[in-house]
Amino acid sequence: MIKFFKSEENKPTERLEAFEKGCWVDLVNPTDDEVEDVTALTGIPEEMLKAALDEEETARCEKDEGAFMCLLDTPTMTDTDDGDTYETIPISLIYNDKCVVTVSLRGNPVLGDFVSNRIKADTSKPMFFLLKFMMGNAKRFLSSLRQIDKKSLRVQAELHRSMKNKELIQMLELENSLVYFSTSLSANINVYNKMEKMPAIAGNEDYKDLYDDVLIETRQAVEMCNIYRDILSGTMDAYASVISNNLNVVMKLLAVITLIISIPTLIASLWGMNVAVPFGDTAWGFWVVIGICIVLTALVSFWLIRSTASIKIKTAHSHRKRRRRD
């Protein structure tokens, strides 16, 4: 899809019917024919226009045939049956002496703010347009990170009530999203560092101030992403330990029950043999065997309970000693 826009300082963005010099050309998942048409209109190489159409493309900046391209990673949210998922996709901003071109696989919320005039951008000033997008993109990362943190807290609240695979999978997806964000933000910062010495930025005080603000916002996003990722990773490890501990408790209980049940089973098996056994010829022999089973089962149960309590007391005592030493 091709759209043409134009905006000037202190004037709202307006949509154009055709290409004009100094306009903004917005390409969203373009076809090969649309790429060829834009190349003919703008003189920008096809390779630059198609760079952002590869989801695995890394962030970078390059210059070729009088055109400058800045390829960045931008956050995106996808609705699925299991909820919202967060990931990053590449977007390229290209300009030359004719126009500014943006290329992405999906519609971008920051560019949508340009169209709706929530962010003022002058298409006749390509570097100002680029810096404005970089600032909006950094804020978009911060907003997405806050949403991930809120979703993480909701999922943790669900996990406190009941351990379910669905919530654990959601936590894993959030952790994966933070890994993608961290990688993309680091790649974006590398691009920004290369742009710092560009004459268009270094020679303009207003652009330099805006560039510094972009760096501050992006570094804040990196710090937030690292903090949330560490917290989520620690939470996942804690829940894994809780699940393992719960499993150990269940297995321990089953082992105790099996041991207790095995005693009357063993006695009943011995007295059920087709050989002469004690009390076999008496009318009250059955009740004697039952009594033996009950007594032995009670003794073993008492011993197991006492042993478990003793282990707990010793463990608590050792913890107190360790705390005193610390």
Side-chain angles (χ1 to χ4, degrees):
M1 180 185 295
I2 305 178
K3 294 181 181 179
F4 302 98
F5 300 93
K6 190 171 185 179
S7 63
E8 298 178 4
E9 192 173 357
N10 299 324
K11 289 185 179 181
T13 302
E14 59 177 340
R15 185 169 178 177
L16 305 176
E17 296 297 329
F19 176 82
E20 291 183 10
K21 187 174 182 180
C23 71
W24 161 32
V25 183
D26 184 28
L27 291 173
V28 179
N29 195 18
T31 63
D32 291 339
D33 292 338
E34 289 174 337
V35 171
E36 291 177 2
D37 293 341
V38 173
T39 298
L41 289 171
T42 63
I44 297 174
E46 285 189 21
E47 292 76 11
M48 280 190 173
L49 295 175
K50 292 183 177 180
L53 302 182
D54 181 6
E55 291 188 357
E56 304 300 326
E57 196 73 26
T58 57
R60 67 180 189 277
C61 57
E62 63 180 52
K63 193 172 184 180
D64 186 24
E65 298 183 14
F68 177 80
M69 180 187 73
C70 182
L71 194 148
L72 302 172
D73 288 325
T74 185
T76 182
M77 183 180 69
T78 305
D79 293 329
T80 63
D81 295 337
D82 297 328
D84 300 332
T85 58
Y86 298 86
E87 56 184 355
T88 59
I89 60 172
I91 182 172
S92 61
L93 293 91
I94 312 165
Y95 69 83
N96 58 9
D97 57 354
K98 292 183 179 180
C99 63
V100 177
V101 180
T102 57
V103 187
S104 62
L105 287 169
R106 307 176 197 170
N108 188 276
V110 180
L111 297 180
D113 291 340
F114 286 176
V115 175
S116 61
N117 296 297
R118 284 193 289 269
I119 298 178
K120 299 294 183 182
D122 191 343
T123 57
S124 63
K125 299 177 180 179
M127 183 54 68
F128 181 72
F129 185 95
L130 176 57
L131 290 172
K132 278 287 188 179
F133 175 83
M134 289 160 56
M135 175 61 75
N137 195 47
K139 291 181 178 180
R140 186 71 183 175
F141 267 110
L142 290 171
S143 176
S144 298
L145 286 169
R146 294 188 186 99
Q147 293 175 10
I148 290 176
D149 184 49
K150 291 179 180 178
K151 186 175 180 180
S152 172
L153 293 176
R154 289 197 299 269
V155 175
Q156 289 180 44
E158 291 292 331
L159 282 172
H160 280 303
R161 287 192 287 269
S162 63
M163 291 286 182
K164 295 181 180 178
N165 289 338
K166 180 181 178 182
E167 282 75 21
L168 292 173
I169 292 173
Q170 288 179 348
M171 292 282 283
L172 180 61
E173 289 176 349
L174 292 176
E175 189 175 13
N176 291 339
S177 297
L178 291 175
V179 173
Y180 295 144
F181 276 25
S182 178
T183 304
S184 297
L185 285 167
S186 299
N188 285 354
I189 284 186
N190 290 335
V191 173
Y192 299 160
N193 290 335
K194 293 179 181 179
M195 294 176 60
E196 184 177 8
K197 297 181 181 180
M198 291 179 61
I201 296 177
N204 189 307
E205 191 66 27
D206 293 336
Y207 288 179
K208 187 66 170 63
D209 292 339
L210 183 55
Y211 170 81
D212 291 338
D213 292 339
V214 170
L215 275 183
I216 292 172
E217 293 290 328
T218 306
R219 285 169 179 163
Q220 181 183 352
V222 171
E223 292 177 1
M224 285 180 59
C225 185
N226 291 336
I227 291 172
Y228 291 160
R229 187 177 62 177
D230 291 343
I231 292 174
L232 198 57
S233 178
T235 302
M236 290 289 290
D237 292 341
Y239 279 118
S241 299
V242 170
I243 293 171
S244 178
N245 185 61
N246 291 341
L247 179 61
N248 291 336
V249 171
V250 173
M251 295 302 295
K252 180 180 178 181
L253 178 61
L254 291 176
V256 170
I257 293 174
T258 302
L259 180 60
I260 293 174
I261 291 177
S262 65
I263 295 172
T265 303
L266 175 62
I267 295 173
S269 300
L270 292 174
W271 256 270
M273 298 172 66
N274 294 324
V275 295
V277 292
F279 315 114
D281 298 328
T282 60
W284 38 267
F286 172 78
W287 299 108
V288 172
V289 174
I290 293 296
I292 293 172
C293 291
I294 293 173
V295 171
L296 289 178
T297 301
L299 290 174
V300 171
S301 299
F302 175 76
W303 176 76
L304 288 174
I305 293 172
R306 186 175 180 181
S307 299
T308 303
S310 176
I311 292 172
K312 289 182 178 179
I313 293 172
K314 290 180 179 179
T315 303
H317 186 62
S318 63
H319 283 323
R320 291 195 200 99
K321 282 186 175 181
R322 190 179 300 120
R323 288 176 183 173
R324 289 171 184 171
R325 287 198 301 268
D326 294 340

